């Protein structure tokens, strides 16, 4: 009955949100089934606990925790919206006598580090980089949710536990590397639970990001992490597939990218691209800052310009008929956007949800210096400062490798977003140059090649590598 009342307070609060305020403060309130799944990650205890809820909304999360906690437990909930703070008070009073609701921004409240249970579904907004103070001097964050999470973790008592409902984006990419580093040094990652597909779980709230549950605790890293890789919202978590794995087997590279599944063992024989002198850079031309150099016709002293539109199957084709300019004029030479002639593998940075593959790779051979749009990544054998083209067989072999299903699957385990970023790609296990050459000889990228042929060719490479 109490749970129904708390769900009802949540539903009424959700229905009466003002659309402007909802957008501005990201008031996406957690539905009861997801709240129950999140709370089920806490370790049951008979002791009274101190509970904290940051950005408490209607108070649903801390109310479910308090409802399952021993008599004598207390809750502090912080919510900056006055109506939602009042709703938090009503929810929490259903289940707990010792309730403090603070109607203010979490950034104005000084918290001690004495909480046993911290729960949060914070706002997810991107923010201008800010530094959150830590005992080690501070860590840079670029999203509100990581700022909230850092406050949450710092409020934990020794042995205390924190469960957060957050996007999956912190697990990979460059923007979150400081945060990952800080978190991995500060607490134990105990559970990761990623929801299978977007939207379903917050359907009355229109949340589009891929959402996950994260459980951490204030102690040295536990031996294993429990991973639920494909959660559905309407069944208790303990009845959903999960595995216990060593954290080490999920972490990759010095940027500590965290994958959601253990890597396919067939990839273990290959080293990451970045360890093999293969560097991934982002195309240098941002078109709206360089409108004046774009041209519909070939210009004396100009260069060909490649967009993702020029990806035709596994080959970059130029020029093509499309509504984007196919050339830049000679002015581009002074803008630091021109790349040296030669062979490359180009990869889209943005895929659409409808696209079959996240990674879409195409081989490029250009006899002349050229320009690549900023929505493309390109693989070369230089450094972040200097672009050096690949040898032709490596460029072709790499295009096949990046087009294989095993690589696409690898990428989906690393990133929940449709963006393909260079930092993640650099960690991709990749055959040696010699092996890439063998791939290139077996299947020409120019042909009318289907996915089965690519996968069979890659499959033969695995057998060959194992046998040699
Ligand atoms: C995604 S909603 C989730 C609400 C609630 N935790 C739940 O799970 O239903 C985020 C909440 O944080 C509140 N909020 C946003 N910025 C805040 C801030 N700086 N301090 C306190 N609350 C904030 C919003 O008003 C909103 O209620």
């Amino acid at each position: 009955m109490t749970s129904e009342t708390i769900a009802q307070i949540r539903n009424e609060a959700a229905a009466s949100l003002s659309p402007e305020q909802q957008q501005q403060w990201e008031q996406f309130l957690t539905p009861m089934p997801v709240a129950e799944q999140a709370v089920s990650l806490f370790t049951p205890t008979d002791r009274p606990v101190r509970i904290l809820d940051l950005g408490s909304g209607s108070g649903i999360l801390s109310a479910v925790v308090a409802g399952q906690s021993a008599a004598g437990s207390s809750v502090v909930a912080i919510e900056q919206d006055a109506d939602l703070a009042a709703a938090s008070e009503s929810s929490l009073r259903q289940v707990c006598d010792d309730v403090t609701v603070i109607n203010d921004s979490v950034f104005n409240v000084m918290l001690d580090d004495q909480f046993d249970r911290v729960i949060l579904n914070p706002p997810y907004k991107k923010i201008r980089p800010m530094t959150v103070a830590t005992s080690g001097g501070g860590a840079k964050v670029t999203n509100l949710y990581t700022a909230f999470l850092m406050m949450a973790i710092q409020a934990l008592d020794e042995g205390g536990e924190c469960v957060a409902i957050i996007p999956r984006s912190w697990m990979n990419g460059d923007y979150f590397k400081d945060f990952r580093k800080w978190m991995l040094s500060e607490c134990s990652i105990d559970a990761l639970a990623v929801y299978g597909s977007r939207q379903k779980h917050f359907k009355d709230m229109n949340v589009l990001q891929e959402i996950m549950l994260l459980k951490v605790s204030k102690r040295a890293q536990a031996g294993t992490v429990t991973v639920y890789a494909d959660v559905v919202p309407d069944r208790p978590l303990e009845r959903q597939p999960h595995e216990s794995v060593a954290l080490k087997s999920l972490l990759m590279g010095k940027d500590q990218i965290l994958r959601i599944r253990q890597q396919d063992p067939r990839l273990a024989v290959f080293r990451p691209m970045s360890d093999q002198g293969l560097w991934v850079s982002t195309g240098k031309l941002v078109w709206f800052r360089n409108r004046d150099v774009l041209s519909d016709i070939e210009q004396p002293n100009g260069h060909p310009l490649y967009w993702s539109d020029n990806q035709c199957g596994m080959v970059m084709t130029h020029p093509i008929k499309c509504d984007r300019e196919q050339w830049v004029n000679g002015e581009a030479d002074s803008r630091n956007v021109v790349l040296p002639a030669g062979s490359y593998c180009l990869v889209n940075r943005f895929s659409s949800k409808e696209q079959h593959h996240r990674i879409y790779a195409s081989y490029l051979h250009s006899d002349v210096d050229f320009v690549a749009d900023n929505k493309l990544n390109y693989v070369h054998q230089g450094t972040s400062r200097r672009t050096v083209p690949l040898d032709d067989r490596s460029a072709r072999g790499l295009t096949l490798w990046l087009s294989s299903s095993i690589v696409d699957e690898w990428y989906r385990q690393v990133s929940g977003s449709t963006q393909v970023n260079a930092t993640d790609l650099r960690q991709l296990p990749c055959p040696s140059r010699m092996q890439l050459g063998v791939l290139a000889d077996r299947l020409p990228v120019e042909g009318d090649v289907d996915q089965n042929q690519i996968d069979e060719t890659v499959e033969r490479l695995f057998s060959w590598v194992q046998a040699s």
Side-chain angles (χ1 to χ4, degrees):
M1 195 58 202
T2 325
S3 159
E4 277 167 31
T5 312
I6 292 165
Q8 193 183 340
I9 296 172
R10 179 266 179 207
N11 293 344
E12 283 168 10
S16 60
L17 292 170
S18 93
E20 300 81 56
Q21 191 81 309
Q22 179 178 19
Q23 281 311 318
Q24 192 191 344
W25 286 352
E26 303 221 329
Q27 295 169 329
F28 302 116
L29 308 186
T30 310
M32 187 52 104
V34 176
E36 283 170 340
Q37 286 182 328
V39 173
S40 73
L41 288 171
F42 284 124
T43 312
T45 169
D46 298 336
R47 282 185 307 110
V49 283
R50 279 192 72 190
I51 302 160
L52 173 66
D53 187 345
L54 296 178
S56 59
S58 73
I60 188 167
L61 295 174
S62 40
V64 176
V65 184
Q68 298 179 5
S69 300
S73 295
S74 62
V75 182
V76 174
I78 308 174
E79 170 54 57
Q80 72 178 5
D81 180 305
D83 293 339
L84 288 176
S88 286
E89 185 90 36
S90 311
S91 301
L92 288 162
R93 289 279 168 215
Q94 305 288 321
V95 285
C96 186
D97 297 328
D98 187 349
V99 173
T100 310
V101 177
I102 303 172
N103 177 207
D104 203 340
S105 165
V106 297
F107 299 109
N108 295 334
V109 180
M110 282 290 284
L111 290 165
D112 62 27
D113 55 358
Q114 301 288 305
F115 290 91
D116 309 294
R117 298 285 180 264
V118 180
I119 191 150
L120 65 159
N121 174 10
Y124 301 162
K125 243 191 204 140
K126 278 206 177 96
I127 48 173
R128 261 189 296 185
M130 70 182 249
T131 301
V132 177
T134 63
S135 53
K140 199 175 78 190
V141 294
T142 53
N143 282 68
L144 266 184
Y145 82 85
T146 40
F148 270 61
L149 196 48
M150 287 184 71
M151 292 179 71
I153 292 169
Q154 296 193 86
L156 287 174
D157 196 2
E158 209 44 48
E161 299 181 355
C162 169
V163 172
I165 304 173
I166 48 175
R168 190 183 150 185
S169 51
W170 65 275
M171 296 176 73
N172 62 292
D174 212 29
Y175 288 128
F176 294 93
K177 71 177 181 214
D178 272 15
F179 168 73
R180 282 195 295 273
K181 193 165 160 211
W182 176 82
M183 189 161 74
L184 288 161
S185 68
E186 196 68 12
C187 56
S188 165
I189 297 191
D190 298 340
L192 304 163
V194 174
Y195 287 98
S197 60
R198 293 152 207 256
Q199 294 182 47
K200 265 196 268 161
H201 333 294
F202 289 84
K203 55 175 182 279
D204 61 343
M205 286 289 153
N206 224 0
V207 174
L208 294 173
Q209 307 209 39
E210 215 164 64
I211 306 289
M212 68 179 296
L213 305 175
L214 165 71
K215 180 197 171 192
V216 302
S217 55
K218 184 88 185 154
R219 60 185 163 112
Q221 177 60 49
T224 57
V225 187
T226 309
V227 180
Y228 306 78
D230 200 0
V231 178
V232 291
D234 40 20
R235 208 175 330 131
L237 274 186
E238 66 271 18
R239 289 207 267 121
Q240 303 202 33
H242 56 276
E243 54 176 356
S244 289
V245 299
L247 182 68
K248 235 181 26 217
S249 69
L250 300 176
L251 283 174
M252 295 186 310
K254 69 174 178 17
D255 291 340
Q256 297 182 297
I257 291 168
L258 192 52
R259 25 182 320 117
I260 196 65
R261 287 183 207 266
Q262 280 173 293
Q263 188 161 281
D264 187 318
R266 288 175 297 174
L267 295 175
V269 288
F270 302 130
R271 289 186 299 140
M273 293 226 276
S274 58
D275 289 4
Q276 304 194 45
L278 292 170
W279 194 253
V280 188
S281 295
T282 298
K284 300 194 186 312
L285 183 109
V286 179
W287 71 268
F288 55 84
R289 289 198 203 120
N290 291 283
R291 286 177 215 264
D292 57 319
V293 302
L294 307 181
S295 168
D296 285 326
I297 47 167
E298 187 168 5
Q299 298 280 336
N301 307 323
H303 307 279
L305 167 59
Y306 289 88
W307 309 82
S308 54
D309 308 62
N310 295 78
Q311 293 190 276
C312 301
M314 281 192 288
V315 180
M316 296 301 289
T317 304
H318 190 276
I320 57 160
K321 273 211 172 93
C322 73
D323 52 10
R324 296 186 192 277
E325 297 83 350
Q326 293 289 297
W327 310 91
V328 292
N329 64 31
E331 283 290 300
D333 287 328
S334 60
R335 307 258 169 109
N336 198 22
V337 295
V338 181
L339 303 174
S343 298
Y344 296 84
C345 173
L346 272 69
V347 183
N348 63 321
R349 288 181 58 210
F350 300 92
S351 61
S352 70
K353 269 193 275 165
E354 296 71 42
Q355 253 166 333
H356 189 56
H357 268 217
R358 285 277 172 80
I359 297 182
Y360 184 13
S362 305
Y363 159 78
L364 167 68
H365 179 82
S366 180
D367 290 327
V368 293
D369 293 355
F370 67 99
V371 173
D373 171 50
N374 173 261
K375 294 205 176 54
L376 287 166
N377 284 319
Y378 61 97
V379 187
H380 59 106
Q381 54 181 346
T383 61
S384 57
R385 300 247 169 109
R386 198 165 78 93
T387 297
V388 180
L390 296 169
D391 66 276
D392 198 63
R393 282 170 81 233
S394 294
R396 290 165 175 276
L398 190 58
T399 302
L400 284 167
W401 177 244
L402 292 177
S403 304
S404 67
S405 299
I406 193 168
V407 165
D408 204 61
E409 191 53 38
W410 180 92
Y411 200 81
R412 283 173 201 273
Q413 291 162 11
V414 168
S415 167
S417 115
T418 48
Q419 291 184 27
V420 178
N421 68 54
T423 310
D424 300 338
L425 273 184
R426 288 180 204 130
Q427 293 308 321
L428 174 74
C430 184
S432 67
R433 304 295 175 92
M434 197 264 281
Q435 293 160 348
L436 289 175
V438 171
L439 273 183
D441 295 343
R442 291 197 172 157
L443 195 64
V445 287
E446 289 91 351
D448 192 10
V449 177
D450 68 22
Q451 190 64 49
N452 281 342
Q453 284 171 289
I454 299 171
D455 291 341
E456 278 165 19
T457 309
V458 163
E459 207 52 58
R460 285 210 298 278
L461 177 76
F462 291 137
S463 332
W464 179 69
V465 170
Q466 261 166 8
S468 57

